[in-house]
Amino acid sequence: MSFRDYLSEGRSIFDRLYPDNKITEIDYEGSTIVVYTKDQNLFSQRDDLARQIAQELRRRIAIRPDPSIMSDEKEADAKIRGIIPSDAGLQDIYFEPDTGEAVIEVDEPTIANPEIIKSIKAETNWSPRIVRAPPMYSRTVKEVREYLRDVKKERKEFLHNLGIKLTTPLMPGETWIRITALGGHREVGRSATLISTNNSKVLVDCGMININDPEHPWEEAPYLYAPEIQPFTSLDAVVLTHAHLDHSGLLPLLFKYGYTGPVYSTAPTRDLAALLQNDYLKVSHSENHKLSYESKHVREELKHTISLKYNETADITPDIRLTFYNAGHILGSAAVHLHIGEGLYNVVLSGDQKYEKTWLFNPAVNRFPRVETLMLESTYAGRDDYSYTRNEATNTLIDVVNRTFDRGGSVLVPVFAVGRSQEVMLVLEDAYRNKMIPENTKVYLDGMIMEATAIHAAYPEFLNRDLRDQIMIKRENPFLSPIFTSVETRKQRIDVCDSPESKVILATAGMMNGGPVLEYFKTLSADSRNTLAFVGYQADGTLGRRIQSGASSITLSDGGKSTKFDINMAVENAEGFSGHSTKRELLNFIGGMQPRPNRILVNHGDGNKCYDFARLIHTKFGVEAISMKNLETTRLF
Amino acid sequence: MSFRDYLSEGRSIFDRLYPDNKITEIDYEGSTIVVYTKDQNLFSQRDDLARQIAQELRRRIAIRPDPSIMSDEKEADAKIRGIIPSDAGLQDIYFEPDTGEAVIEVDEPTIANPEIIKSIKAETNWSPRIVRAPPMYSRTVKEVREYLRDVKKERKEFLHNLGIKLTTPLMPGETWIRITALGGHREVGRSATLISTNNSKVLVDCGMININDPEHPWEEAPYLYAPEIQPFTSLDAVVLTHAHLDHSGLLPLLFKYGYTGPVYSTAPTRDLAALLQNDYLKVSHSENHKLSYESKHVREELKHTISLKYNETADITPDIRLTFYNAGHILGSAAVHLHIGEGLYNVVLSGDQKYEKTWLFNPAVNRFPRVETLMLESTYAGRDDYSYTRNEATNTLIDVVNRTFDRGGSVLVPVFAVGRSQEVMLVLEDAYRNKMIPENTKVYLDGMIMEATAIHAAYPEFLNRDLRDQIMIKRENPFLSPIFTSVETRKQRIDVCDSPESKVILATAGMMNGGPVLEYFKTLSADSRNTLAFVGYQADGTLGRRIQSGASSITLSDGGKSTKFDINMAVENAEGFSGHSTKRELLNFIGGMQPRPNRILVNHGDGNKCYDFARLIHTKFGVEAISMKNLETTRLF
Ligand SMILES: [Zn+2]
Ligand SMILES: [Zn+2]
Ligand SMILES: [Zn+2]
Ligand SMILES: [Zn+2]
Ligand SMILES: [Zn+2]
């Protein structure tokens, strides 16, 4: 069926099921058919009716109030503030014109009764959604939300045009599916994989290696000049597995060079990616590096992002349907399930994944409706990679803190703002509450860690249940524990450095290739009472790896001049906090997969890891397993 | 060095070695530096001097007379006719303005003495080349030659621009080499393979499957819409291994859709491809099939073709150097050796090949200066494929003729015009001369066979030495034996069909999917005294294969209406005339290769042949061996 056919069929189903429907408009927004009505009743029953019609039409349906009957946002805001009782603890009201919802954030959502709901509807014609106010304030979440409201007109037009594209009839001809490795294959970093069919082109991830090697600048980026992906206007969709820069870092570049299509991600990935991209721009700018794009391209990316929940399915091209599944790696991280053709082929791209319940997340999902090919990461699939559990890592870290404090030293933990920071915070808070570390322990957080933590708190549905429950009760929210102090200014940082007392410092960047961690390192490195504790992977060529490998001194720029810093502080590894599966976990993930795929493509591993792990999989499970090289293309079908 | 640098360095070398050189122009034509001079002496010594300078400059050099001192062609023609003695048996004079040569074809080239040479030079300022007149007249060779003379101005400009392109400095950045299967991989037909580097794109072959399947028209062509090769203007060069339509059939299509670059082939491949392409157009037109291109696109291809001899090396892009090696398959067939980068990588694409000395050619070359990857055909690499020698095939065919003639029947041999026809002609002529078949044997040739034979005679340097020597002596030229009669008209064909005497008929097409062979078949099939003798491969889905597999009747259109033809004639196979290596020959080819490649990519085989043969190679020789699927891309470097 074509665009018009679907709309008129949708209309006639409505007319049949609900004749006096006062529908004013029926249109596409992305893959959803949106129906506008002046009938408040129809609007209210929309969930049931929409489900029924969606089933008949095999398209998603959204029913919304006709804008002409809705109050304007300012007026509605005032009316709602008048209706919500004061003991509800109203925190914020924001409007989602996309859906006609007024989201009302309160401390006590139990206050919402049918009476209140009904009167808000009657007064404003917005549909109220009363939710618990997020326990922490995130500037990123707030700004993204405001920005999306500012560009709602452009976004609506974009979604409308996308809807037309999505209902384009398929081209006749042979059916085939290709997968092209553009980056992050047989290496870690600059992840980018293209799936093309005879009808469409979908890029999964568009990362960077943030190495700043002026001799080989091209090694930072995936092979984006490959003809398979040029021009970018030929791309139909971009899918983002998670926010880490090695997956999202060059996504704004696509918009700089002509891409105008959709980006699909979870909502937290959208927000975190924008945070990390803007931070990358800020840091690179301050270091006078050549920038690949500007912040306006990050905004373009936001404007074109369509967020999906885990397990929610969306048509992203006329022949490809996308579903995200929890990957357990960082907040919002997802495995990408692509259903291609009508029952023709299914491919899952694992993204980065952790097949273990962590302090933050549930283990990666390994059950899918169908899957013929799996693309699987292998970061820690090597023979000599760590294989510690969360428990072991936790004990090691607590031990490191205690030993260091005992000798009057401080612990510096290089962390990425997103993921490992929150995990280490939870470990320290838990140890503190259970009196396993000194009562006077202070933990300083420097470099966006608090902001990243607040984003976690804004998306409790993406956390594991235990943590979700804890966060929702203010007194129990571990992130709000008094042991944590966020370092916000340069002066504060100097004070923390200068204070003689023992403390724990979590600071970015996680591999010490820049960021505030270097300032702390400079102050702490010479004193043998201190400890540098690594809790995450240190890639080849990073300062972290050099120190981890036993460097006795390091030369860094200090106040503009090159200075040698002796490393007398202890260097310890609290391995096991990784967001990546161990080799054993990867094998268990495959072993327990339902259904078992026919073919596994191993990527995201250093050196020979991808190749060796593919051989191991082949031997162990008897399925075809290969590791592609970047710039190679394999036929899936 | 850039374009200008090479030219001025060339100039200064000339000035040093031969100061009074009267050079009027120095310029690029393709990868050759062409020097024009008014000094007849310089022009005469050009071979020695050019070699010396070429070595210094590492570029090919050609020295030519300045056009202003050359007579115009008409005038020169008249003067030459006056000089050549009448007993030389002057046949033709033609001019090659590209090189400043006047080619003088005579029956007795021994007549050429220094006196004659000198006086032609003095009178015309063209450089005379006196050669033996080709023993047979080929309209194709004549027409191609005339056409190239007609477009010499456009061609000169094309070659000049190509020269500039070829001296473009290389782009900085990572060096990589990819090979993309666009057709003819894991199948026979529509051969097309793309080699791309960070600097250039070269397509090897652009064939078709001439199936005329209106349900799946796209199966006729390689995947030419793949982004790797789009737009065609992004291609730097096309290389043609040989003239068969499964390698050359869609080459004119590239010119229809915007390609304006060079085509590299041997001269006989150029001529034969034009012949076959034009014939394809004629036949398709008469059968009302939709045509992919027109004859003007064949002419464009000719205009852009640069012919190379075996073992002659040419720069075809700034980072790729091409050399053709004899492939033993059909006239002019070549293996393609690509030397990429300065000593970086070498890949050989076998094209179709025969590793056996045949009646026509030497065996395929398997010694190369360097080779890391070999792409090898596998047409007959299957377990059950024929493995007969030329000797066995010869004996079988002679036996079939004798048995059929004994019972008063005729032998119909479906053949391709190019290759198998000439081989069968040589066998029959040899048998006739040695009285192994009846003295009154008549052999009728229908469907361009004589023309294709004449093209063979025009390029004796591409034949094996025995045949070359035979052809050069008129009385011994086997192709001119009185047993052969060419069928040129429809009336002649009817006469041959109606004559009651026993005879041998060689007629195209080789797999009976069209062509005059069908007319003979209709007359001969019902009579059990006759024989249909297959001498070549019958592909899946062809009429030939159906009959070979034992069909007892066949329905064909006859005079516009569908008619059933019973097959009572004997059906015999004289296997062993193939232009493709047997499995044993392929293995011997690899086993004897110098040097041994690291990797072998197996293509050009039906069903599982490519896959199975790759496994066999891996087991037998321990080298990496794979078979790509169409639309897959592998990294070579
Ligand atoms: Zn990650
Ligand atoms: Zn990653
Ligand atoms: Zn061939
Ligand atoms: Zn072929
Ligand atoms: Zn093996």
Side-chain angles (χ1 to χ4, degrees):
Chain A
M1 290 208 290
S2 83
F3 178 63
R4 300 271 156 230
D5 296 335
Y6 275 111
L7 294 187
S8 60
E9 185 169 336
R11 178 88 203 209
S12 72
I13 295 173
F14 265 98
D15 292 347
R16 170 158 53 79
L17 295 178
Y18 196 102
D20 189 21
N21 52 40
K22 293 183 188 153
I23 287 176
T24 54
E25 199 193 338
I26 180 162
D27 197 1
Y28 263 100
E29 284 192 8
S31 61
T32 306
I33 294 180
V34 181
V35 174
Y36 294 90
T37 175
K38 286 191 178 175
D39 180 0
Q40 182 55 253
N41 288 328
L42 176 55
F43 176 40
S44 330
Q45 321 181 8
R46 58 184 182 175
D47 286 350
D48 285 355
L49 194 63
R51 208 166 295 128
Q52 192 182 346
I53 294 173
Q55 254 163 26
E56 281 204 45
L57 197 55
R58 308 202 58 210
R59 293 264 139 184
R60 293 199 298 186
I61 299 277
I63 303 173
R64 299 188 190 155
D66 184 284
S68 72
I69 67 169
M70 292 154 73
S71 309
D72 83 47
E73 292 180 16
K74 264 205 183 124
E75 195 185 318
D77 186 274
K79 281 180 177 160
I80 292 168
R81 286 182 193 278
I83 294 165
I84 297 289
S86 60
D87 52 352
L90 178 65
Q91 295 292 338
D92 199 5
I93 301 170
Y94 60 89
F95 296 90
E96 291 190 338
D98 273 10
T99 62
E101 285 179 319
V103 182
I104 301 157
E105 293 182 344
V106 295
D107 285 337
E108 286 303 333
T110 45
I111 211 80
N113 61 45
E115 206 53 38
I116 288 180
I117 301 284
K118 206 173 154 193
S119 86
I120 293 176
K121 265 191 198 168
E123 295 272 322
T124 67
N125 269 318
W126 285 81
S127 180
R129 183 150 61 92
I130 298 178
V131 299
R132 186 184 301 276
M136 301 170 75
Y137 170 77
S138 161
R139 211 169 72 123
T140 305
V141 171
K142 179 94 178 164
E143 284 179 357
V144 168
R145 194 177 281 154
E146 281 172 2
Y147 175 71
L148 291 178
R149 196 170 51 198
D150 289 349
V151 296
K152 70 181 176 197
K153 270 214 180 109
E154 289 163 76
R155 219 173 126 78
K156 194 173 168 180
E157 199 188 322
F158 156 66
L159 289 170
H160 168 78
N161 292 330
L162 181 61
I164 294 177
K165 269 193 73 175
L166 288 174
T167 49
T168 315
L170 295 180
M171 299 274 286
E174 184 188 0
T175 302
W176 47 257
I177 307 168
R178 310 171 77 187
I179 189 159
T180 302
L182 294 172
H185 294 255
R186 300 208 189 183
E187 66 182 358
V188 173
R190 59 170 177 177
S191 283
T193 302
L194 183 73
I195 285 90
S196 11
T197 75
N198 47 323
N199 276 282
S200 48
K201 278 192 193 183
V202 174
L203 179 67
V204 178
D205 288 343
C206 190
M208 72 197 310
I209 302 180
N210 195 357
I211 43 172
N212 269 303
D213 173 356
E215 297 271 300
H216 306 97
W218 55 83
E219 289 177 0
E220 288 199 11
Y223 294 83
L224 294 177
Y225 56 82
E228 289 91 328
I229 192 181
Q230 282 294 339
F232 293 146
T233 48
S234 70
L235 272 178
D236 297 295
V238 177
V239 177
L240 185 55
T241 60
H242 67 287
H244 278 152
L245 288 175
D246 65 319
H247 298 258
S248 74
L250 287 183
L251 216 157
L253 187 84
L254 301 178
F255 289 94
K256 177 173 177 185
Y257 292 109
Y259 182 61
T260 57
V263 175
Y264 295 91
S265 74
T266 61
T269 293
R270 175 194 62 199
D271 298 357
L272 286 172
L275 176 71
L276 294 177
Q277 288 156 351
N278 281 323
D279 182 61
Y280 153 74
L281 289 178
K282 213 174 71 186
V283 171
S284 298
H285 181 72
S286 75
E287 294 173 1
N288 286 314
H289 294 144
K290 204 171 152 277
L291 295 176
S292 313
Y293 53 85
E294 299 164 52
S295 62
K296 69 177 178 197
H297 303 116
V298 177
R299 287 196 297 276
E300 279 305 301
E301 175 189 333
L302 278 176
K303 191 195 296 171
H304 292 85
T305 296
I306 296 172
S307 67
L308 297 175
K309 301 186 177 79
Y310 290 148
N311 310 313
E312 183 184 3
T313 294
D315 292 320
I316 61 168
T317 74
D319 63 345
I320 302 184
R321 208 166 284 163
L322 163 70
T323 316
F324 283 128
Y325 292 92
N326 171 43
H329 170 64
I330 61 164
L331 182 71
S333 69
V336 169
H337 182 282
L338 300 176
H339 173 88
I340 303 171
E342 285 299 333
L344 187 69
Y345 204 87
N346 298 269
V347 52
V348 170
L349 298 98
S350 74
D352 292 359
Q353 61 108 286
K354 180 67 177 173
Y355 189 55
E356 180 194 28
K357 187 179 173 192
T358 63
W359 286 88
L360 293 162
F361 311 114
N362 288 324
V365 169
N366 66 346
R367 299 186 177 199
F368 306 94
R370 271 183 61 186
V371 47
E372 280 82 30
T373 287
L374 167 70
M375 179 168 277
L376 182 63
E377 66 126 313
S378 60
T379 321
Y380 284 121
R383 189 189 301 268
D384 303 322
D385 289 326
Y386 91 99
S387 58
Y388 297 95
T389 62
R390 277 281 176 295
N391 253 337
E392 291 169 311
T394 301
N395 293 338
T396 306
L397 184 63
I398 291 170
D399 185 47
V400 164
V401 171
N402 283 321
R403 280 190 285 119
T404 306
F405 277 38
D406 279 353
R407 63 179 180 243
S410 291
V411 180
L412 175 61
V413 187
V415 282
F416 286 108
V418 175
R420 241 38 57 220
S421 309
Q422 287 72 41
E423 188 118 29
V424 171
M425 285 171 75
L426 292 173
V427 167
L428 294 173
E429 194 276 336
D430 189 76
Y432 175 79
R433 204 173 343 146
N434 293 301
K435 306 193 191 306
M436 295 167 73
I437 51 175
E439 223 182 331
N440 63 345
T441 302
K442 278 270 164 213
V443 180
Y444 293 96
L445 311 172
D446 198 344
M448 289 196 329
I449 295 174
M450 259 311 182
E451 174 57 23
T453 305
I455 298 177
H456 284 68
Y459 293 104
E461 66 275 28
F462 286 85
L463 305 173
N464 69 38
R465 173 173 291 274
D466 299 343
L467 182 56
R468 188 159 66 221
D469 292 349
Q470 275 187 308
I471 279 181
M472 282 309 171
I473 302 161
K474 221 172 200 166
R475 278 162 311 146
E476 292 195 11
N477 184 338
F479 296 130
L480 297 177
S481 164
I483 65 166
F484 298 121
T485 307
S486 188
V487 178
E488 303 288 344
T489 65
R490 176 165 269 280
K491 162 132 190 7
Q492 253 185 298
R493 186 177 302 151
I494 294 168
D495 288 348
V496 172
C497 282
D498 290 350
S499 86
E501 71 194 357
S502 285
K503 65 242 159 199
V504 179
I505 302 157
L506 309 188
T508 58
M511 300 188 192
M512 305 185 69
N513 49 342
V517 70
L518 292 183
E519 299 312 308
Y520 296 103
F521 172 78
K522 290 171 188 170
T523 332
L524 300 175
S525 73
D527 188 337
S528 61
R529 291 174 305 167
N530 298 326
T531 303
L532 180 65
F534 290 108
V535 294
Y537 174 71
Q538 305 298 308
D540 270 341
T542 59
L543 183 61
R545 170 67 72 91
R546 274 168 62 207
I547 297 174
Q548 201 179 34
S549 307
S552 63
S553 71
I554 290 291
T555 300
L556 292 170
S557 155
D558 194 36
K561 64 168 192 280
S562 216
T563 310
K564 194 175 128 194
F565 293 92
D566 289 326
I567 305 177
N568 299 322
M569 70 195 302
V571 176
E572 306 245 17
N573 297 299
E575 291 180 292
F577 285 118
S578 170
H580 297 279
S581 290
T582 62
K583 183 161 96 176
R584 178 191 304 270
E585 285 162 1
L586 288 170
L587 292 173
N588 288 341
F589 178 89
I590 299 168
M593 260 187 96
Q594 281 183 7
R596 179 76 59 84
N598 309 323
R599 170 144 63 161
I600 299 182
L601 307 172
V602 179
N603 71 342
H604 204 282
D606 277 330
N608 286 323
K609 265 179 215 179
C610 297
Y611 182 82
D612 292 342
F613 192 55
R615 290 182 62 114
L616 179 65
I617 291 171
H618 175 66
T619 309
K620 227 176 166 74
F621 300 103
V623 299
E624 192 189 332
I626 61 165
S627 63
M628 300 174 68
K629 293 177 195 153
N630 288 327
L631 283 180
E632 288 194 331
T633 296
T634 290
R635 280 282 284 274
L636 295 182
F637 186 90
Chain B
M1 291 207 291
S2 83
F3 179 62
R4 299 273 156 229
D5 297 335
Y6 275 111
L7 294 187
S8 59
E9 186 170 333
R11 177 89 202 209
S12 72
I13 295 173
F14 264 99
D15 291 347
R16 171 158 53 78
L17 295 177
Y18 195 100
D20 188 23
N21 51 42
K22 293 182 188 154
I23 288 175
T24 53
E25 198 193 339
I26 179 162
D27 198 1
Y28 263 100
E29 283 191 8
S31 61
T32 305
I33 294 181
V34 180
V35 174
Y36 293 90
T37 174
K38 287 192 177 175
D39 180 359
Q40 182 55 254
N41 288 327
L42 176 55
F43 176 40
S44 331
Q45 321 182 6
R46 58 186 182 174
D47 285 350
D48 285 354
L49 194 63
R51 207 166 297 128
Q52 191 181 349
I53 295 174
Q55 255 164 26
E56 282 203 45
L57 198 55
R58 308 201 58 209
R59 293 262 140 186
R60 292 200 299 185
I61 299 277
I63 302 173
R64 298 186 190 156
D66 184 282
S68 71
I69 66 168
M70 291 154 74
S71 309
D72 84 45
E73 292 179 15
K74 264 206 182 125
E75 195 185 318
D77 186 274
K79 280 180 177 161
I80 292 169
R81 288 184 191 278
I83 293 166
I84 297 288
S86 60
D87 52 352
L90 179 65
Q91 296 293 338
D92 199 4
I93 300 170
Y94 59 89
F95 296 90
E96 290 189 340
D98 272 11
T99 63
E101 286 180 317
V103 182
I104 301 157
E105 294 182 343
V106 294
D107 286 337
E108 285 304 332
T110 46
I111 211 80
N113 61 45
E115 206 51 39
I116 288 179
I117 301 284
K118 205 171 154 191
S119 88
I120 292 174
K121 267 191 196 167
E123 296 272 321
T124 66
N125 268 320
W126 286 82
S127 180
R129 185 150 60 91
I130 297 177
V131 299
R132 187 183 301 275
M136 301 170 75
Y137 171 77
S138 161
R139 211 169 72 123
T140 305
V141 171
K142 179 95 177 166
E143 283 177 358
V144 168
R145 194 176 283 154
E146 280 171 4
Y147 174 71
L148 291 178
R149 195 170 51 196
D150 289 349
V151 295
K152 69 182 176 195
K153 269 213 182 109
E154 287 163 78
R155 217 173 127 79
K156 193 173 169 179
E157 199 187 323
F158 156 66
L159 289 171
H160 169 79
N161 292 331
L162 181 61
I164 295 177
K165 269 192 74 176
L166 288 175
T167 49
T168 316
L170 296 180
M171 298 273 286
E174 185 188 359
T175 302
W176 46 256
I177 307 167
R178 311 171 77 187
I179 190 160
T180 302
L182 294 172
H185 294 255
R186 299 207 190 184
E187 66 182 359
V188 173
R190 59 171 178 174
S191 282
T193 302
L194 183 73
I195 285 90
S196 11
T197 75
N198 47 321
N199 276 282
S200 48
K201 278 191 191 182
V202 174
L203 179 67
V204 178
D205 288 343
C206 190
M208 71 195 310
I209 301 179
N210 195 358
I211 43 172
N212 270 304
D213 173 355
E215 298 270 300
H216 306 97
W218 55 83
E219 290 177 359
E220 287 199 11
Y223 294 83
L224 294 178
Y225 56 83
E228 287 92 327
I229 192 180
Q230 281 294 338
F232 293 146
T233 48
S234 70
L235 271 179
D236 297 296
V238 177
V239 178
L240 184 55
T241 61
H242 67 288
H244 278 152
L245 288 175
D246 65 318
H247 298 257
S248 74
L250 287 183
L251 216 158
L253 188 84
L254 301 178
F255 289 94
K256 177 173 177 183
Y257 292 110
Y259 182 61
T260 58
V263 175
Y264 294 91
S265 75
T266 61
T269 294
R270 175 195 63 199
D271 298 356
L272 286 173
L275 176 72
L276 294 176
Q277 288 156 352
N278 281 322
D279 182 61
Y280 153 74
L281 289 178
K282 212 174 72 186
V283 171
S284 298
H285 181 73
S286 74
E287 292 172 0
N288 284 316
H289 295 142
K290 202 169 155 280
L291 295 177
S292 314
Y293 53 85
E294 298 164 53
S295 61
K296 70 177 175 193
H297 303 117
V298 177
R299 287 195 298 276
E300 279 305 300
E301 175 190 334
L302 278 177
K303 192 196 295 173
H304 292 83
T305 297
I306 295 172
S307 67
L308 297 175
K309 300 187 176 80
Y310 289 148
N311 309 313
E312 183 184 4
T313 293
D315 291 321
I316 61 168
T317 75
D319 62 346
I320 301 184
R321 208 167 285 163
L322 162 70
T323 315
F324 283 129
Y325 292 91
N326 171 43
H329 171 63
I330 62 164
L331 183 70
S333 69
V336 169
H337 182 281
L338 300 176
H339 173 88
I340 303 172
E342 284 299 332
L344 186 70
Y345 204 87
N346 297 269
V347 53
V348 170
L349 299 97
S350 74
D352 292 358
Q353 59 110 286
K354 181 67 177 174
Y355 189 54
E356 180 194 28
K357 187 181 173 190
T358 63
W359 286 88
L360 292 163
F361 311 114
N362 287 324
V365 169
N366 66 345
R367 300 187 175 198
F368 306 94
R370 273 182 60 187
V371 48
E372 280 82 30
T373 287
L374 166 71
M375 179 168 276
L376 182 64
E377 67 126 312
S378 60
T379 321
Y380 284 121
R383 189 188 302 268
D384 303 322
D385 289 326
Y386 93 98
S387 58
Y388 297 96
T389 61
R390 277 278 175 297
N391 253 338
E392 291 169 311
T394 300
N395 293 338
T396 307
L397 183 63
I398 290 170
D399 185 48
V400 164
V401 170
N402 283 320
R403 280 190 285 118
T404 306
F405 276 40
D406 280 353
R407 64 179 180 245
S410 290
V411 179
L412 175 60
V413 187
V415 282
F416 285 108
V418 175
R420 239 41 55 220
S421 307
Q422 287 72 41
E423 188 116 29
V424 171
M425 284 171 76
L426 292 173
V427 167
L428 294 174
E429 193 276 336
D430 189 75
Y432 175 77
R433 203 171 347 146
N434 291 302
K435 305 192 190 308
M436 294 167 74
I437 52 176
E439 222 180 335
N440 63 344
T441 301
K442 277 271 164 210
V443 180
Y444 293 96
L445 312 172
D446 199 344
M448 287 196 330
I449 293 174
M450 258 313 181
E451 174 56 21
T453 305
I455 299 177
H456 283 69
Y459 292 104
E461 66 275 27
F462 286 86
L463 305 173
N464 69 38
R465 172 174 290 274
D466 300 343
L467 181 55
R468 188 159 66 221
D469 291 348
Q470 274 188 309
I471 280 181
M472 280 311 170
I473 301 163
K474 220 170 198 169
R475 279 161 310 145
E476 292 194 12
N477 185 338
F479 296 131
L480 297 178
S481 164
I483 65 167
F484 298 121
T485 307
S486 189
V487 178
E488 304 287 344
T489 64
R490 176 164 269 281
K491 160 125 189 12
Q492 257 185 295
R493 186 177 302 151
I494 294 167
D495 290 348
V496 172
C497 282
D498 290 350
S499 88
E501 71 193 1
S502 285
K503 64 240 158 199
V504 179
I505 301 158
L506 309 189
T508 58
M511 300 188 192
M512 304 185 68
N513 49 343
V517 71
L518 293 182
E519 299 313 309
Y520 295 102
F521 172 77
K522 290 171 189 171
T523 333
L524 299 175
S525 73
D527 188 337
S528 63
R529 290 175 305 166
N530 297 327
T531 303
L532 181 64
F534 289 110
V535 294
Y537 174 71
Q538 305 298 309
D540 270 342
T542 59
L543 183 60
R545 171 66 72 93
R546 274 168 62 207
I547 296 175
Q548 201 179 33
S549 307
S552 64
S553 71
I554 289 292
T555 300
L556 293 170
S557 155
D558 194 36
K561 65 168 190 278
S562 216
T563 310
K564 194 175 127 194
F565 293 91
D566 288 327
I567 305 178
N568 300 322
M569 71 196 300
V571 176
E572 307 245 18
N573 296 299
E575 291 181 291
F577 286 117
S578 170
H580 297 278
S581 290
T582 62
K583 184 160 97 176
R584 179 193 302 269
E585 287 161 0
L586 289 170
L587 292 173
N588 288 343
F589 177 90
I590 299 169
M593 260 186 98
Q594 282 184 6
R596 180 76 60 85
N598 309 323
R599 170 144 63 159
I600 299 181
L601 307 172
V602 180
N603 71 342
H604 204 282
D606 278 331
N608 286 324
K609 264 180 214 178
C610 297
Y611 182 82
D612 292 342
F613 193 56
R615 289 183 63 113
L616 179 64
I617 291 172
H618 175 64
T619 309
K620 228 177 165 71
F621 300 104
V623 299
E624 192 189 332
I626 62 166
S627 62
M628 300 175 69
K629 294 178 195 153
N630 289 327
L631 283 179
E632 288 194 330
T633 295
T634 291
R635 278 284 282 276
L636 296 182
F637 186 90

